[in-house]
Amino acid sequence: MLVLRFLNVVAPAYFLCISLVTFVLQIFLFIPSMFRDPSTTPLFSPALLHGALFLFLSANALGNYVLVIQNSPEDLGKGLNLGEGAEVVVDWLDGSRSPGSAVPSTHFCRLCARVTQRHDHHCFFTGNCIGSRNMRNFIMFCLYTSLACLDSLVAGMAYISAALSMSFANPLAFLTLLPHSISQFFSGALLSSEMFVILMLYLWLGIGLACAGFCCHQMLLILRGQTRYQVRKGMVVRARPWRENLQEVFGKRWLLGLLIPVLNVGSDYRRQKEK
């Protein structure tokens, strides 16, 4: 438990540090290097277009990240009659009581110390549980984080290609880039800034692929009307059309949330709260 609590504090700081480093490299290194092409007009220069795209992706990723943290799942132990009150929470803590025995589709998170409905999982990178209130924002956070990392990967490869006068046309060039760069760095033929960018390329690739895979897996669960917690516990859910499952998470005006970071506009959960 101490390890999990430590990870719950370190992981958000690690994500924010990576985001800050990515922003600094893009704004002060990658984008200025694109202004060297005199053949393009200032309005449609690659630097401005890429800068606008990166800012759009970063704003959506950071905005949805903040919304995931702000919209924590409600503590049902405070608003619902759980029978024994605090004793039920103690039963959940020591594992002697099934989380779904008091209220269906509920789970007690040891790290957050609250009972949440439609619990999916605890995200260490946000330090928060993912449930009904912030599932849509969490999906958008994963999507735009993946796109921002892949965008930084492409920009970083273009910068390294120009700085080291190398080509990535051969697929093996990227795979052999790291070992060759390490040998050149220790021999003094490679600058520390260039070596740092090369290391960040592999980090962006790993984070981008991980977020993309997690986003696709989460969307598959949503289409099936399941949560990760229900799959892990082998719970049976009522079969519904996939359109209803999507609307429950994303709402009817899903396009607005796809373009800008907003709350679950028009979702079934918020309509139930208003009632």
Side-chain angles (χ1 to χ4, degrees), residues 3 11 47 51 59 98 105 120 127 133 135 138 142 166 171 175-176 179-181 202 216 240-241 261 270 273:
V3 176
S98 173
S105 299
D120 188 87
R133 297 185 65 184
M135 174 59 73
F138 178 75
C142 291
M166 62 176 300
L175 298 178
T176 59
H180 289 169
S181 301
Y202 290 91
C216 294
R240 296 189 308 175
R270 296 188 66 84
K273 276 190 61 84

Side-chain angles (χ1 to χ4, degrees), residues 260-272:
I260 57 176
V262 294
L263 297 177
N264 288 5
V265 180
S267 65
D268 292 340
Y269 172 80
R270 296 188 66 84
R271 287 198 296 270
Q272 292 173 2

Side-chain angles (χ1 to χ4, degrees), residues 167-185:
S167 174
F168 288 97
N170 186 358
L172 296 178
F174 185 79
L175 298 178
T176 59
L177 175 62
L178 183 59
H180 289 169
S181 301
I182 293 177
S183 61
Q184 293 179 2
F185 174 74

Side-chain angles (χ1 to χ4, degrees), residues 6-265:
F6 176 77
L7 183 62
N8 198 48
V9 175
V10 173
Y14 173 77
F15 170 78
L16 294 177
C17 181
I18 294 299
S19 302
L20 179 61
V21 170
T22 301
F23 182 82
V24 171
L25 288 178
Q26 285 271 16
I27 299 299
F28 296 101
L29 191 62
F30 298 160
I31 295 178
S33 65
M34 299 178 185
F35 279 102
R36 300 172 182 175
D37 187 4
S39 62
T40 57
T41 60
L43 183 61
F44 298 101
S45 63
L48 293 180
L49 295 178
H50 174 76
L53 176 61
F54 175 73
L55 291 178
F56 171 77
L57 297 177
S58 300
N60 275 276
L62 183 59
N64 284 285
Y65 180 81
V66 174
L67 291 177
V68 169
I69 298 176
Q70 289 183 344
N71 294 277
S72 302
E74 290 182 320
D75 188 353
L76 299 183
K78 297 180 179 179
L80 297 178
N81 182 13
L82 297 180
E84 299 294 335
E87 295 181 4
V88 173
V89 176
V90 174
D91 291 339
W92 268 317
L93 279 172
D94 59 21
S96 60
R97 185 184 181 102
S98 173
S101 59
V103 181
S105 299
T106 58
H107 172 67
F108 179 78
C109 178
R110 298 169 182 264
L111 296 175
C112 296
R114 58 172 172 246
V115 183
T116 60
Q117 188 176 17
R118 291 289 294 177
H119 176 86
D120 188 87
H121 69 284
H122 182 90
C123 177
F124 289 98
F125 285 99
T126 59
N128 200 4
C129 280
I130 306 301
S132 301
R133 297 185 65 184
N134 53 10
M135 174 59 73
R136 202 281 306 276
N137 295 119
F138 178 75
I139 295 293
M140 293 294 100
F141 162 68
C142 291
L143 174 63
Y144 281 107
T145 299
S146 175
L147 294 178
C149 287
L150 296 179
D151 175 80
S152 301
L153 174 65
V154 173
M157 292 176 62
Y159 173 81
I160 291 298
S161 178
L164 302 182
S165 300
M166 62 176 300
S167 174
F168 288 97
N170 186 358
L172 296 178
F174 185 79
L175 298 178
T176 59
L177 175 62
L178 183 59
H180 289 169
S181 301
I182 293 177
S183 61
Q184 293 179 2
F185 174 74
F186 285 105
S187 64
L190 192 66
L191 299 177
S192 58
S193 60
E194 297 171 347
M195 185 64 200
F196 180 75
V197 172
I198 292 174
L199 293 176
M200 289 298 299
L201 293 181
Y202 290 91
L203 185 61
W204 288 326
L205 178 63
I207 296 177
L209 293 180
C211 289
F214 195 88
C215 183
C216 294
H217 178 65
Q218 203 70 42
M219 284 298 301
L220 178 61
L221 293 178
I222 293 175
L223 292 174
R224 295 166 57 182
Q226 291 180 308
T227 63
R228 186 179 298 271
Y229 176 75
Q230 291 173 339
V231 173
R232 189 171 67 252
K233 294 297 182 179
M235 298 180 180
V236 180
V237 297
R238 181 172 60 90
R240 296 189 308 175
W242 62 270
R243 293 180 181 273
E244 294 184 9
N245 295 329
L246 282 179
Q247 183 175 336
E248 182 182 10
V249 176
F250 293 92
K252 292 183 178 181
R253 289 170 286 182
W254 57 270
L255 185 59
L256 180 62
L258 186 63
L259 298 177
I260 57 176
V262 294
L263 297 177
N264 288 5
V265 180

